Amino acid sequence: MEPQSHRSLESLARELAALPPSLGPVRLVGIDGHAGSGKSTFAGRLAEALGGAPVLHLDDVATHEELFGWERRLRAQVLEPLAAGRPAHWAPYDWVERRFGPVRVLEPAPVLLVEGVGAGRRALRPHLARLLWMETPREQSWGRGRERDGRELSDFWDGWERAERAHFSDDPSRPFADTLVRQSGTGYEWSSGAGATAGTPASVTEGHELPRA
């Protein structure tokens, strides 16, 4: 039987695929949220519902020295080529070796998901067809991340929390989100539109989306 969370995202995938292109021929969809909020897992499942849409992880764009200072590199390597309808050539960062790895090619796809903390920053928003925000509280998200990465990375997390707090203080994403996504016991819930921050979420259970109020 197909996993419920995969099937339940089909309606959201159809909605995103029907949007007008926002970056050349590409519908760039941002998935933002606090570190540890489940962005990567959600992006992978949404990409599958989109028929195998590519996912650009901002963890591969950031570096130890530039946790949030990757804007110009992303623009030059990814945004500008895709806007012109050309393949993007970019080098993912190796967090173990502390250097950039081999160059990868990113073709202009109908939908490209870009996920990571800062995916909804002001420099990216004009290029986004839709901005999704993972609605998981900050402390809960950070707790998940610390538990996931283990005690040996506790110093990194101390620095990360300070950097993330400063980033969102200066350049918040959530107020500009088109869609808020919440994890539920059987998949995901989301609310979209102008009233997303205060609206009733679309419930996703047993592979079905219930009508929004």
Side-chain angles (χ1 to χ4, degrees):
M1 182 177 178
E2 187 178 3
Q4 294 169 355
S5 57
H6 289 214
R7 291 191 300 149
S8 65
L9 291 176
E10 290 177 355
S11 60
L12 180 58
R14 289 192 298 270
E15 182 180 328
L16 296 176
L19 294 171
S22 61
L23 184 70
V26 178
R27 295 155 185 83
L28 188 64
V29 176
I31 302 174
D32 206 338
H34 299 292
S37 60
K39 298 180 299 299
S40 296
T41 298
F42 176 75
R45 292 175 178 171
L46 181 56
E48 183 176 332
L50 283 160
V55 180
L56 178 63
H57 302 281
L58 291 178
D59 282 351
D60 293 336
V61 179
T63 70
H64 283 89
E65 292 74 28
E66 296 177 322
L67 294 179
F68 293 100
W70 39 259
E71 175 189 323
R72 292 183 180 178
R73 188 167 62 254
L74 180 69
R75 183 189 307 120
Q77 295 183 351
V78 177
L79 301 183
E80 291 178 356
L82 293 180
R86 303 193 310 269
H89 296 78
W90 67 288
Y93 183 70
D94 188 320
W95 287 85
V96 176
E97 298 293 332
R98 290 177 173 260
R99 59 179 174 81
F100 291 102
V103 172
R104 295 181 184 176
V105 177
L106 186 60
E107 298 287 343
V111 179
L112 167 61
L113 305 179
V114 54
E115 73 83 16
V117 181
R121 65 193 307 172
R122 64 173 66 94
L124 289 186
R125 287 197 296 271
H127 308 292
L128 297 178
R130 178 71 60 86
L131 174 58
L132 284 63
W133 174 268
M134 301 301 294
E135 190 74 339
T136 305
R138 182 176 63 191
E139 298 303 330
Q140 180 181 342
S141 297
W142 287 352
R144 284 183 187 175
R146 284 181 177 272
E147 182 177 359
R148 176 194 64 203
D149 293 341
R151 187 172 300 175
E152 61 272 16
L153 289 181
S154 61
D155 288 344
F156 173 82
W157 267 95
D158 289 344
W160 172 268
E161 290 180 4
R162 290 191 295 271
E164 183 184 309
R165 197 187 302 268
H167 167 72
F168 280 135
S169 176
D170 174 67
D171 192 355
S173 296
R174 187 185 182 278
F176 302 94
D178 305 292
T179 301
L180 301 182
V181 180
R182 300 172 178 84
Q183 290 178 282
S184 67
T186 54
Y188 295 92
E189 300 177 344
W190 68 85
S191 54
S192 299
T197 56
T200 302
S203 297
V204 178
T205 56
E206 300 302 325
H208 298 285
E209 179 185 358
L210 301 179
R212 289 193 287 270

